[in-house]
Amino acid sequence: MGIRKNTIKIKTALISLSDKSNLRPLLNLLKKYKIKIISSGGTYKKIKSMGFKCLEVSKFTNSKELLDGRVKTLHPKIHAGILAKSHDDLKGCSGAYDLIDIVIVNLYPFEQTITKSHCTYKDAIEDIDIGGPTMLRAAAKNHDRVTVITDPNDYNLVIEEIIKNKKTSLKLRKHLAYKVFSHTSGYDA
């Protein structure tokens, strides 16, 4: 079965970042290997401003952002693409669904926001990330097939492995999934 292989070829990446630092080397790699990039909001604008091709989430899902941007990535096409074990899983879905092979997400800086002296209750509420943890947990759950990155310090691990193998190993995907579950539980606490 395809998902149990030790390595997984990456064809589509979903990127949603609050911390957009160190992004260029990752984008260069994705471009080199012709990996389609999907993104939303400020990340989409940043990727485009850096001269890279990127498909906006709303065009990918064929659904506009809702509630002043509060709902962008909470969409069946996003989560089916992340959670599907294979293309065969998607055949049962009505409509055109695609696998998402790598999810690169870091969360709104809630803790930094609430420790600011001028932080209002409204500021704090708006910095509670909902879509980010949902995508991260979905990708980490499906680490047999999906590579998930939440820490920009891990970009180089993934870059090195893709350059070496054109794929990511199960060992690396498990390591990154563990980091996601640890990070999201800390974020929730």
Side-chain angles (χ1 to χ4, degrees), residues 32-46:
K32 177 180 177 178
Y33 289 99
K34 297 180 172 100
I35 297 168
K36 178 168 91 174
I37 301 171
I38 304 165
S39 191
S40 66
T43 306
Y44 170 80
K45 291 175 186 167
K46 176 70 172 178

Side-chain angles (χ1 to χ4, degrees), residues 30-141:
L30 298 175
K31 180 180 178 180
K32 177 180 177 178
Y33 289 99
K34 297 180 172 100
I35 297 168
K36 178 168 91 174
I37 301 171
I38 304 165
S39 191
S40 66
T43 306
Y44 170 80
K45 291 175 186 167
K46 176 70 172 178
I47 291 169
K48 293 295 283 183
S49 76
M50 294 172 72
F52 293 90
K53 289 182 182 178
C54 186
L55 179 63
E56 199 164 11
V57 163
S58 59
K59 295 216 187 302
F60 178 75
T61 61
N62 203 22
S63 179
K64 292 182 180 181
E65 292 181 6
L66 303 173
L67 307 175
D68 296 322
R70 279 185 162 196
V71 178
K72 296 179 261 225
T73 58
L74 295 170
H75 191 280
K77 193 165 182 183
I78 297 289
H79 291 280
I82 295 170
L83 287 166
K85 294 177 184 175
S86 68
H87 279 289
D88 289 342
D89 278 356
L90 295 176
K91 289 178 184 175
C93 299
S94 60
Y97 284 78
D98 297 312
L99 293 177
I100 296 171
D101 307 301
I102 185 168
V103 173
I104 306 162
V105 173
N106 49 60
L107 306 176
Y108 297 158
F110 179 72
E111 195 169 348
Q112 290 174 338
T113 298
I114 62 172
T115 58
K116 293 178 183 173
S117 60
H118 61 278
C119 178
T120 66
Y121 182 77
K122 182 181 177 186
D123 293 336
I125 292 297
E126 289 307 313
D127 243 17
I128 297 172
D129 200 325
I130 304 300
T134 305
M135 289 185 293
L136 285 172
R137 290 178 60 80
K141 175 181 179 169

